[in-house]
Amino acid sequence: VTTTTVTHATPAACYAHSPDRSWENDAALTAEARAAGFRDLARQLVELPNGDGIEVVLGGGRAHFLPKEVPDPERPELKGARTDGRDLVEAWRKRFPAGVYAWNRAQLEAADGASVRYLLGLFEFSHMQWELDRAGDTAGEPSLAEMTAKALGVLERAPAGYVLMVEGGRIDHGHHAGNAARALGDAIAFSDAVRVALARTDPDETLVVVTADHSHTLSISGYPRRGNPILGLVVGASGEAAAGSEPVKDASGRPYATLSYANGPGYPGASDAQPEGAKRFPHLPKAVQGVTGGRPDLVALDPEDAGHLQEAAVPLASETHGGEDVPVYAGGPGAALFHGVHEQSYFYHAIVEALGWSEAP
C-alpha cells in the first residue's frame, strides 16, 4: 500500500507543544535523543525504511531539510536549520532519482501526476501560509486542495491501493493565535481539499475518513439571528433586541461578538506587546495586566477584520486545546465502523479493519 502525506503546516511536524514534538531537525534533538540514536522528523520522512519509502510528501518546512550553510531558494537571506551538514533534499533526490522535487506552485503544476511516482514539495521556508494570507501570493504556494489533487494524481495509479493523509494543520495554529478568521479560513480550505478527494475517488473502492485530533476553546455564544456574520457582533433573536437590527449588549452595556475563546492572546488587558483593549494579530504576550477599563467597545472596531483577535477570558500567549469530543465522518468501504462515541485509539483499529489487515479470529 502506497503512503503519502499532504499538510498545510510543515510536513515534519505541527504546532510544537513539547520537546519530543519539536524534533523537526537535528538541531532540536535533546542530548538524550542524540545518545539514543533517534532521527529527527525530517530525516524520518526522507529515510522511511518501510516498503519503498513515502511516495508523496507536500507541505512547508524547507528549513528543516537544508543545512545551515545553504540559502533558501526562495528567500536567499535565510539559511537552513540543520547542523549535521546534511542536505535532505539532495538525499531524497539520490534515493529517488526519477522523483520530482518542487518548491513553488508552478513546479508542482508542471509535475505530471500520470508519470511521476515520487514527489517531494516543500513550498515554504517555515509553515505554509494561512489561506487568507496565501490568497495574495497564489503564484508561490499551492492550496491544500491543489496539493491533494496532485497527490491523488500520483497515487491513484498504485495497483495495490494507497493511504493518503491530508492535514489542515494551520487550522490549529489559527486557534492558538486566537484568530478565528485565519482558523476558519483554513477550515474552508480543508473542506475544499475533502471535496477534491471525494470527487477524485470511487466511493465503492475508497474509504474517506475526516476528523480532528482535538478541539479548541472557541465558543459560539448569544442568540445571533440567522445570516449574522460569524465573525460579527451578536444581533439578537429569541427575544433579544426585538427589532433584530442593533447589537445585543452585555450586562455592562457593551456589545459582544458571536465568537470568543476561553483563553488565549485575545484577553483585553494591557500586555508587554499591545495596549489595553481589543488585540490584533499577531499577539504573543509575555506579561499581561488585568483589565481596568472594562470590555473593549467593539462598535468602534471591526470584529470581522482578519486581524482582529476574538476576546479571551483567560490571558495566555497561546490558546489551548479543549476537552470536547470531536466528530468523525466516513464514507466508502468500512465506513460503518465509524459510529457512536469512541476512544481515539479505536479509530486506528477501525482503519486497520477497513484495510483488511486485521487477523482472522
Side-chain angles (χ1 to χ4, degrees), residues 96-112:
F96 306 113
V100 172
Y101 168 66
W103 61 265
N104 60 48
R105 188 170 182 240
Q107 292 172 349
L108 181 68
E109 290 177 340
D112 182 7

Side-chain angles (χ1 to χ4, degrees), residues 26 60 82 89 203 291 329 340:
D26 70 298
R82 303 195 64 83
V89 172
V291 176
Y329 308 94

Side-chain angles (χ1 to χ4, degrees), residues 58-286:
L58 303 174
R62 281 194 303 265
H64 306 300
F65 293 77
L66 301 176
K68 63 181 182 178
E69 299 82 10
V70 174
D72 182 72
E74 183 179 28
R75 302 171 63 187
E77 73 276 12
L78 300 176
K79 301 296 192 295
R82 303 195 64 83
T83 59
D84 58 5
R86 299 195 59 187
D87 187 328
L88 294 184
V89 172
E90 289 305 314
W92 182 89
R93 282 173 161 155
K94 289 181 180 179
R95 183 177 182 185
F96 306 113
V100 172
Y101 168 66
W103 61 265
N104 60 48
R105 188 170 182 240
Q107 292 172 349
L108 181 68
E109 290 177 340
D112 182 7
S115 59
V116 172
R117 183 177 176 187
Y118 298 98
L119 178 61
L120 172 64
L122 302 174
F123 304 108
E124 284 289 344
F125 184 77
S126 183
H127 291 296
M128 300 285 276
Q129 297 181 70
W130 278 284
E131 185 66 15
L132 290 179
D133 301 322
R134 191 195 72 85
D137 182 31
T138 54
E141 180 182 316
S143 69
L144 193 61
E146 290 171 331
M147 291 191 288
T148 301
K150 185 64 70 172
L152 288 169
V154 175
L155 299 175
E156 59 195 7
R157 295 180 286 111
Y162 59 87
V163 174
L164 169 64
M165 188 192 80
V166 178
E167 180 191 26
R170 303 234 70 186
I171 301 171
D172 176 76
H173 294 188
H175 285 311
H176 284 304
N179 187 215
R182 284 176 170 77
L184 298 181
D186 270 49
I188 294 172
F190 180 68
S191 177
D192 292 339
V194 173
R195 187 176 295 108
V196 167
L198 293 175
R200 291 286 296 262
T201 57
D202 184 344
D204 292 330
E205 295 183 355
T206 305
L207 171 66
V208 178
V209 180
V210 181
T211 189
D213 55 339
H214 55 73
S215 71
H216 280 269
T217 69
L218 182 69
S219 175
I220 293 178
S221 60
Y223 303 96
R225 66 183 181 182
R226 181 171 298 182
N228 209 59
I230 189 62
L231 296 174
L233 301 176
V234 172
V235 176
S238 298
E240 291 187 335
S245 60
E246 296 295 327
V248 177
K249 296 181 179 179
D250 67 9
S252 70
R254 292 188 174 180
Y256 61 98
T258 300
L259 298 180
S260 62
Y261 288 96
N263 58 39
Y267 180 77
S271 75
D272 59 317
Q274 295 187 24
E276 181 169 337
K279 296 300 184 289
R280 300 283 300 173
F281 173 87
H283 183 220
L284 298 170
K286 296 180 180 179

Side-chain angles (χ1 to χ4, degrees), residues 29-71:
L29 292 173
T30 63
E32 293 79 6
R34 292 176 186 276
F38 292 162
R39 293 176 297 172
D40 59 84
L41 296 172
R43 277 190 62 192
Q44 290 178 40
L45 280 176
V46 172
E47 300 175 357
L48 185 75
N50 304 83
D52 53 358
I54 299 179
E55 274 73 10
V56 181
V57 177
L58 303 174
R62 281 194 303 265
H64 306 300
F65 293 77
L66 301 176
K68 63 181 182 178
E69 299 82 10
V70 174

